[in-house]
């Protein structure tokens, strides 16, 4: 396996990823992390909300235009609730995104999914806004 090069700031928080809405083709370079802010799930569930399809379909288009691109889909949660539940939920959510991409014709060997639970926060979990920021799906270019 490779080395995970997640970059933490002095506060222990992961540096924020590129916002997918602002991402360009150049954003998809090796090691880049891109947050899919439009990808949302029902609370406590791995069921994709229909509002997620716009970003996911845009990601399919990018993957189709860049046939050599390989990505890791990562699920993240806040620290509310049990660690076991959050780890399982984050993995299931990442898998749902991967499954959606495969259902749209992306080869599964170009996709990896991982759940990180609350282990890689980008904001302080002490506030509602921080917890919302930490509940996210990202892609990392491999």
């Amino acid at each position: 396996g490779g080395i995970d090069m997640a970059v933490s700031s002095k506060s222990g928080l992961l540096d924020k990823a590129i916002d997918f809405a602002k991402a360009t083709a150049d954003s998809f370079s090796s090691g880049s992390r891109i947050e899919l802010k439009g990808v949302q799930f029902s609370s406590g569930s791995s069921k994709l909300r229909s509002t997620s399809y716009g970003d996911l379909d845009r990601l399919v288009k990018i993957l189709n235009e860049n046939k050599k691109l390989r990505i890791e889909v990562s699920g993240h949660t806040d620290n509310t609730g049990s660690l076991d539940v959050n780890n399982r939920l984050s993995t299931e959510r990442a898998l749902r995104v991967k499954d959606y991409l495969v259902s749209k014709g992306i080869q599964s060997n170009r996709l990896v999914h991982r759940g990180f639970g609350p282990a890689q926060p980008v904001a302080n979990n002490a506030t509602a806004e921080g917890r919302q920021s930490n509940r996210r799906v990202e892609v990392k270019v491999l």
Side-chain angles (χ1 to χ4, degrees):
I3 297 172
D4 196 295
M5 299 292 288
V7 179
S8 293
S9 64
K10 280 192 265 184
S11 66
L13 300 176
L14 198 65
D15 290 339
K16 288 213 182 243
I18 298 165
D19 182 345
F20 185 59
K22 298 174 183 163
T24 65
D26 292 338
S27 302
F28 286 82
S29 59
S30 183
S32 294
R33 287 180 27 254
I34 299 147
E35 182 179 356
L36 303 174
K37 289 186 179 187
V39 175
Q40 302 287 316
F41 299 88
S42 299
S43 182
S45 164
S46 60
K47 181 176 175 11
L48 280 165
R49 289 186 181 162
S50 60
T51 54
S52 302
Y53 301 141
D55 274 5
L56 291 175
D57 290 342
R58 182 170 166 234
L59 181 57
V60 167
K61 185 175 187 291
I62 290 167
L63 289 166
N64 279 328
E65 291 170 354
N66 301 277
K67 297 289 188 188
K68 292 184 179 181
L69 199 61
R70 292 186 64 242
I71 61 170
E72 173 187 275
V73 178
S74 61
H76 303 269
T77 65
D78 60 28
N79 66 353
T80 305
S82 80
L83 183 59
D84 285 347
V85 169
N86 282 328
N87 286 338
R88 181 178 47 77
L89 186 60
S90 64
T91 300
E92 288 174 1
R93 287 177 171 181
L95 179 59
R96 289 302 157 266
V97 170
K98 178 183 174 184
D99 289 346
Y100 182 88
L101 299 174
V102 169
S103 79
K104 295 296 183 175
I106 303 301
Q107 294 177 317
S108 63
N109 65 353
R110 297 175 59 197
L111 309 169
V112 176
H113 74 280
R114 289 179 70 185
F116 291 94
Q120 295 185 351
V122 293
N124 189 326
N125 277 306
T127 67
E129 185 178 82
R131 288 187 297 276
Q132 177 62 43
S133 293
N134 289 330
R135 294 188 297 265
R136 67 194 191 283
V137 172
E138 292 181 356
V139 295
K140 182 170 81 175
V141 180
L142 301 175

